[in-house]
């Protein structure tokens, strides 16, 4: 990393103007959370592999900002050339730059890798000292990255209507109605999952996320996709033409945004449905008795400030830009009936895979380590006692590690219908590693199983009919009273949030406290949000809604047919970590009354896997919580039984025996 920093500083010094600092974000040209290997510039310069963070390089310092999920990981991965800046505890990056860089400092950044929101926030912070953002004409990291992974040409895949549930034509009509409502004549779509959702396409350009590297522009009567044409087969090209979408080269988006700004972007005209067969230029809109034409009222270009990069924004007339969240984020989040049914079915198959994994894991830890197992309690005094095979043919051949275990889990999932891959790298963590919230095990360095320590696994898969995400925490020996009390507090919060009923219009920040209250009673908490949306064979993390203590959780209320996870946790550095996670569907609640005529909402669990009985302190549960557990367990049995063998069903029956008090 030292050579990399030196090479970058040399380029900064020779740049015109000379750069006092260089910002290296985590994001790609689409402001993605997860990026392709060739876009992991921040990881390349810093060595930090987490999905969130920002690197800042000055002539004398190198700093990395990341959030609470990654504090422990960053501490381990950063060299002594780097200083870790903890988001929420240390100065924010814009404040640090404004305070520590000289007056009139030039701060370089690739304008394709920074959002409008971020760039404008920095500009406000820099104004007091005359500092300025310098948009580099080339990415300086790419200049020094000699072994940068090559560009992959992965085909665009049509996502069938039987899984998508709504046609492209219907989605485009809805979007164009939004444009008219907002007096806009076009919209720039940069977010990869929004392009994929709108055009009913999928791809493999980003690991774990079935998306295509593409931009889109939609106007009142045209639609474009900007993608490497080598990825577009004749079949996909015909599909695009049939849906009124013009395919253009990926790099053409820059010049086309400039044409859009000057109202010179011309494309194939599409036939609109009856109530859309209008030209905004022919509409007279009366405001206070004054008539205005399209020139004044339909001249805005819509760009999402959180996802549109600064490079494209700079091509627009700032007086004629509608900077507000993309309407596709909410449209995508509210699942249609086909998507909901697909998600439910995908989670059933996924739950069966998780149960099969637990059965296998239970057998393995008993056979290899002499552990008491999933059901019995006992200190693993014989954990080094191996089978005859292991003693005679070498212990290594029978060693169970975080990686060999997670590989087995992937195998169970891969056997299921419509499986297309994992939805994120499996978090398979033993003991202290479970305290690293987004821990990622590697074969060379991962831990071996220890039946006397907690095991947390957070995993998910991509199926054609839905995306899954589930976390369970288990112990194959004798858990301590503190571990049981902590697990039970997490479980109580998990149950209490999942059982919530709330008025329509309630946001995720208002609900977040429900999952934390049982932990707060013992003076415990966790540093991450409680719930995120989940895609329909798309990204495992999906907005715009969330359940979190963070202010942005107030922005979008929960609505019927949204998905959201329920995942409280507790983590003790150096000891253990606990998290429980199910995917929920928001639905209308059947309430006795309907105060305010606003309707009430509730949650439906669609994740199916048991909670480990011996980690629960039943004395801490209320009768209502025990009733819920018994009801959930019975559903697990009935729903998963058709996918399990007789021995697996017997194991599940034992794991879901009714709790009596």
């Amino acid at each position: 990393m030292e050579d990399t920093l030196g090479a970058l500083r040399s380029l900064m010094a020779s740049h015109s103007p000379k750069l006092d600092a260089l910002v290296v974000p985590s994001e790609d040209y689409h402001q993605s959370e997860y990026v392709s290997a060739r876009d992991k510039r921040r990881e390349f310069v810093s060595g930090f592999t987490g999905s969130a963070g920002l690197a800042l390089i000055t002539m004398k310092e190198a700093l990395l900002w990341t959030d609470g999920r990654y504090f422990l990981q960053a501490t381990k991965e950063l060299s002594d050339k780097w200083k870790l800046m903890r988001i929420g505890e240390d100065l924010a990056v814009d404040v640090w730059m404004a305070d520590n860089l000289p007056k009139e400092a030039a701060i370089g950044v690739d304008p394709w890798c920074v959002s409008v929101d971020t760039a404008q926030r920095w500009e406000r912070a820099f104004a007091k000292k005359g500092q300025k953002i310098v948009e580099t004409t080339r990415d300086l990291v790419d200049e020094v990255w000699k072994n940068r992974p090559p560009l992959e040409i992965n085909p665009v895949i049509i996502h069938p209507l039987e899984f998508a549930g709504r046609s492209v034509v219907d989605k485009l009509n809805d979007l164009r109605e939004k444009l008219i409502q907002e007096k806009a004549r076009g919209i720039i779509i940069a977010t990869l999952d929004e392009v994929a959702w709108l055009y009913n396409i999928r791809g493999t350009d980003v690991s774990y996320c079935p998306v295509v590297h593409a931009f889109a522009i939609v106007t009142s009567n045209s639609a474009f996709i900007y993608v490497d044409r080598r990825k577009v087969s004749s079949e996909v090209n015909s599909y695009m033409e049939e849906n009124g979408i013009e395919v253009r080269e990926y790099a053409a988006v820059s010049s086309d945004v400039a044409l859009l700004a000057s109202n010179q972007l011309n494309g194939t005209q599409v036939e609109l449905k009856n109530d859309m067969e209008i030209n905004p230029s022919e509409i007279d809109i009366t405001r206070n008795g004054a008539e205005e034409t399209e020139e004044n009222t339909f001249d805005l270009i819509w760009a999402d400030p959180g996802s549109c990069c600064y490079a494209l924004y700079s091509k627009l007339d700032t007086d004629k830009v509608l900077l507000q969240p993309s309407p596709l984020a909410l449209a995508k989040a509210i699942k249609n009936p086909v998507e909901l049914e697909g998600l439910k079915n995908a989670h059933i198959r996924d739950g069966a895979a998780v149960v099969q994994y637990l059965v296998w894991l239970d057998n393995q830890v008993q056979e290899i380590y002499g552990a008491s197992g999933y059901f019995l309690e006992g200190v693993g005094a014989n954990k080094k006692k191996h089978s005859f095979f292991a003693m005679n043919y070498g212990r290594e051949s029978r060693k169970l590690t975080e990686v060999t275990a997670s590989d087995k889990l992937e195998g169970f999932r891969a056997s299921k219908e419509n499986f297309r891959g994992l939805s994120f790298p499996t978090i398979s963590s033993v003991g202290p590693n479970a305290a690293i919230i987004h821990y990622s095990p590697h074969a060379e360095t991962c831990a071996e199983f220890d039946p006397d320590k907690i095991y947390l696994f957070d995993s998910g898969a991509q199926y054609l009919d839905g995306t899954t995400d589930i976390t369970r925490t288990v112990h194959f020996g004798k858990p301590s009273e503190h571990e049981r009390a902590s697990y039970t507090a997490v479980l109580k919060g998990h149950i209490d949030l999942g059982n919530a009923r709330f008025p329509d219009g309630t946001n995720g920040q208002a609900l977040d406290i429900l999952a934390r209250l049982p932990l707060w009673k013992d003076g415990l908490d966790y540093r991450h949000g409680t719930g995120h949306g989940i895609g329909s064979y798309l990204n495992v993390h999906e907005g715009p809604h969330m359940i979190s203590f963070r202010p942005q959780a107030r922005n979008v209320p929960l609505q019927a047919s949204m998905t959201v996870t329920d995942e409280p946790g507790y983590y003790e550095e150096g000891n253990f970590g606990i998290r429980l996670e199910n995917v929920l569907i928001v639905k209308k609640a059947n309430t006795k009354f309907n105060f305010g005529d606003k309707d009430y909402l509730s949650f439906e669990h669609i994740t199916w896997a048991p909670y480990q009985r011996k980690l629960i302190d039943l004395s801490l549960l209320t009768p209502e919580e025990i009733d819920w557990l018994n009801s959930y367990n019975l559903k697990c049995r009935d729903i998963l039984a058709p996918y399990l063998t007789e021995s697996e069903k017997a194991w599940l029956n034992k794991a879901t025996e009714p709790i009596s008090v």
Side-chain angles (χ1 to χ4, degrees), residues 192-208:
L192 297 182
D193 65 334
E194 291 185 7
V195 176
W197 179 85
L198 178 65
Y199 291 158
N200 284 347
I201 56 173
R202 298 295 188 267
T204 57
D205 284 348
V206 179
S207 296
Y208 310 105

Side-chain angles (χ1 to χ4, degrees), residues 358-419:
L358 285 170
V359 174
W360 174 83
L361 196 55
D362 189 16
N363 289 331
Q364 291 293 300
V365 295
Q366 291 183 64
E367 182 180 343
I368 297 175
Y369 300 104
S372 53
Y374 187 90
F375 299 106
L376 300 177
E377 290 194 24
V379 178
N382 298 320
K383 66 183 179 182
K384 301 304 182 186
K385 172 186 171 185
H386 298 288
S387 65
F388 175 82
F389 179 96
M391 288 187 288
N392 285 275
Y393 297 97
R395 181 169 169 240
E396 286 300 314
S397 64
R398 294 285 294 176
K399 186 167 72 171
L400 187 62
T401 71
E402 293 166 331
V403 168
T404 57
S406 66
D407 287 348
K408 189 69 176 182
L409 174 56
E410 181 176 357
F412 284 119
R413 285 192 162 108
S415 69
K416 301 295 180 279
E417 184 183 9
N418 294 331
F419 176 81

Side-chain angles (χ1 to χ4, degrees), residues 645-661:
T645 65
E646 289 304 315
S647 62
E648 289 164 349
K649 280 191 279 189
W651 186 97
L652 180 59
N653 286 343
K654 189 172 182 180
T656 55
E657 286 178 352
I659 298 169
S660 57
V661 291

Side-chain angles (χ1 to χ4, degrees), residues 298-318:
F298 286 85
D299 207 25
L300 297 175
I301 304 302
W302 194 333
D304 186 329
S307 61
C308 180
C309 64
Y310 203 61
L312 293 180
Y313 174 74
S314 65
K315 305 284 184 184
L316 301 172
D317 180 346
T318 56

Side-chain angles (χ1 to χ4, degrees), residues 28 105 113 212 320 326 340 364 387 436 453 507 526 576 607:
D28 59 10
C113 295
V212 179
K320 295 181 179 179
S326 165
L340 289 176
Q364 291 293 300
S387 65
I436 303 173
K453 293 178 180 176
N507 62 54
Y526 51 97
F576 64 86
T607 300

Side-chain angles (χ1 to χ4, degrees), residues 224-260:
F224 305 86
I225 184 170
Y226 299 87
V227 62
D228 189 322
R229 282 184 178 272
R230 292 172 293 179
K231 300 178 181 180
V232 181
S233 66
S234 57
E235 178 194 5
V236 171
N237 197 68
S238 298
Y239 165 84
M240 294 293 181
E241 288 180 0
E242 291 165 7
N243 285 285
I245 304 162
E246 188 169 329
V247 180
R248 297 196 174 181
E249 279 293 349
Y250 184 79
V253 68
S254 183
S255 57
D256 273 13
V257 166
L259 290 172
L260 178 67

Side-chain angles (χ1 to χ4, degrees), residues 347 424 458-459 467-471 493-494 497-498 508 511-512 515 526 528-535 539-542 545-548 558 562-568 579-586 603-607:
H347 278 82
F424 58 97
D458 183 347
S459 62
T467 303
T468 67
D469 187 2
I470 175 176
T471 308
H494 175 77
L497 175 59
L511 295 174
D512 182 75
Y526 51 97
H528 56 77
T530 303
H532 57 82
I534 195 163
N539 293 352
V540 72
H541 290 166
E542 184 176 271
H545 60 292
M546 65 178 71
I547 298 176
S548 176
L558 298 184
M562 282 180 167
T563 58
V564 68
T565 59
D566 172 3
E567 50 178 312
R579 185 163 62 253
L580 297 171
E581 176 184 19
N582 281 6
V583 173
L584 314 175
I585 290 174
V586 185
F603 295 118
E604 175 187 351
H605 287 257
I606 62 171
T607 300

